[in-house]
Amino acid sequence: MKIGVRCSPLRLKSNLPALLEWLAANGFTSVDLGAPDRDTVALCRKLGLQPGSVDLPGSAALLAKDPARRNAAVTQVREGIRQAADLGLRTWFVCFVPEDRERSRQELFEVWRQVMPDLVTCLEGAGMRLAMEGWPGPGPHYATLGCTPEVWRAMFAAIPSPALGLCFDPSHLVRLGIDYRRVLKEFGSRVHHVHGKDCALDAEERYRLGCLPPAFGAPRFVCSEGWWRYCIPGDGEVSWRDVAVGLEAVRYDGVVSVELEDGLYMADDDANRRGLLAALRQLNEAWR
């Protein structure tokens, strides 16, 4: 299994060339890219790092209420697809978080259904695929489109193309109370990317708060609502051996990218390094 890193949560990303050199020297074999940048891709390949997923400019406005903004976003994403394909990149990572988070998911889905078919056709022509992540989005609305099996079923019925798929991140599924093993069984053929991130649950805080964030004060950790917190693989509820077996069953041959959103390891550069190495050890053990 190729184990990589998503750089966006890291303090280390402030010096990206140094981070890439450190990853290559410490056993990582892939890295996700924040943009289809030719110089960064060249450096990755020089260091022996396979580019994983890529974020494309324009994605944030694809569900905009204003049709002109949507059309501009579609044009920008299409150009991003062309640039990414020219660089040999194959997986577009996206989280469909709407700009207006008070709109219903049903309303957003109708917009999505209008916007996405042409973009998926563009992806197919470029030899690329889309991996949408199921982060539910920020509170209080949790408005992300595409974070539950209900919506995935509707999306895949509307656009059957195998180019449309998921970034499988079990941490969000645990947080939402969705069976991540069953998701792999139902949607395994749609998994185009994987995030190596876990979720720890606190029974005492769940009793105190229910499934809501605290009314008074803030959670102890970042990337947390008190009763749950994101953490490195192996420190939460996920059986990564079960994930490995499930991915092998569907012949997944892509990357597992560590997304370090664990409050224990986010304070500084040294903490980032410790967290990444601990995650790498535990993922390697799961794929033993």
Side-chain angles (χ1 to χ4, degrees):
M1 178 55 61
K2 297 177 283 293
I3 299 177
V5 170
R6 181 166 175 81
C7 298
S8 57
L10 300 174
R11 290 184 176 270
L12 290 167
K13 71 181 178 183
S14 61
N15 186 340
L16 186 58
L19 171 58
L20 297 179
E21 290 180 7
W22 183 88
L23 293 174
N26 282 275
F28 293 92
T29 55
S30 178
V31 65
D32 293 348
L33 303 178
D37 178 77
R38 185 173 299 277
D39 291 340
T40 302
V41 170
L43 179 57
C44 287
R45 291 180 173 144
K46 178 181 178 181
L47 294 170
L49 293 170
Q50 173 185 316
S53 70
V54 60
D55 302 350
L56 295 184
S59 303
L62 286 174
L63 301 180
K65 204 169 214 177
D66 179 3
R69 280 185 54 73
R70 286 203 305 271
N71 292 337
V74 167
T75 299
Q76 194 172 9
V77 169
R78 288 176 66 92
E79 176 60 18
I81 291 170
R82 185 195 65 76
Q83 292 174 2
D86 286 348
L87 294 173
L89 307 178
R90 292 291 173 257
T91 305
W92 169 26
F93 170 85
V94 65
C95 192
F96 290 111
V97 183
E99 295 175 327
D100 181 355
R101 295 167 185 171
E102 294 186 0
R103 298 163 72 194
S104 71
R105 284 195 292 275
Q106 184 172 352
E107 178 186 354
L108 292 167
F109 176 73
E110 294 305 321
V111 175
W112 182 92
R113 188 161 57 177
Q114 296 173 33
V115 166
M116 288 307 299
D118 287 346
L119 287 180
V120 172
T121 299
C122 183
L123 285 168
E124 291 174 328
M128 291 187 67
R129 55 196 187 173
L130 181 153
M132 59 179 157
E133 187 187 44
W135 175 54
H141 301 294
Y142 308 105
T144 299
L145 186 67
C147 58
T148 63
E150 175 198 27
V151 181
W152 295 332
R153 288 170 181 170
M155 287 174 155
F156 297 142
I159 305 179
S161 169
L164 175 66
L166 302 178
C167 174
F168 177 74
D169 185 331
S171 70
H172 304 308
L173 300 171
V174 168
R175 170 187 168 185
L176 293 172
I178 297 169
D179 185 340
Y180 62 89
R181 297 178 181 89
R182 184 173 171 183
V183 165
L184 273 182
K185 289 177 181 177
E186 180 174 355
F187 300 102
S189 65
R190 295 282 190 166
V191 173
H192 295 335
H193 196 58
V194 175
H195 278 172
K197 189 164 96 253
D198 213 325
C199 185
L201 304 180
D202 186 319
E204 180 63 25
E205 285 293 273
R206 180 62 185 265
Y207 171 76
R208 187 173 75 93
L209 302 170
C211 59
L212 300 176
F216 309 103
R220 177 183 173 192
F221 297 101
V222 296
C223 301
S224 168
E225 286 184 338
W227 64 272
W228 65 266
R229 73 175 184 91
Y230 293 141
C231 58
I232 62 170
D235 282 6
E237 300 292 316
V238 177
S239 166
W240 286 90
R241 183 58 191 159
D242 286 356
V243 170
V245 170
L247 290 172
E248 288 168 0
V250 297
R251 302 184 186 278
Y252 177 74
D253 63 352
V255 176
V256 178
S257 287
V258 176
E259 187 177 32
L260 191 69
E261 293 183 338
D262 186 328
L264 293 176
Y265 300 107
M266 297 176 70
D268 54 43
D269 290 2
D270 286 342
N272 280 183
R273 295 186 189 99
R274 291 197 306 273
L276 291 173
L277 292 174
L280 178 63
R281 286 193 299 271
Q282 303 205 79
L283 289 172
N284 278 330
E285 177 61 22
W287 269 269
R288 60 187 183 277

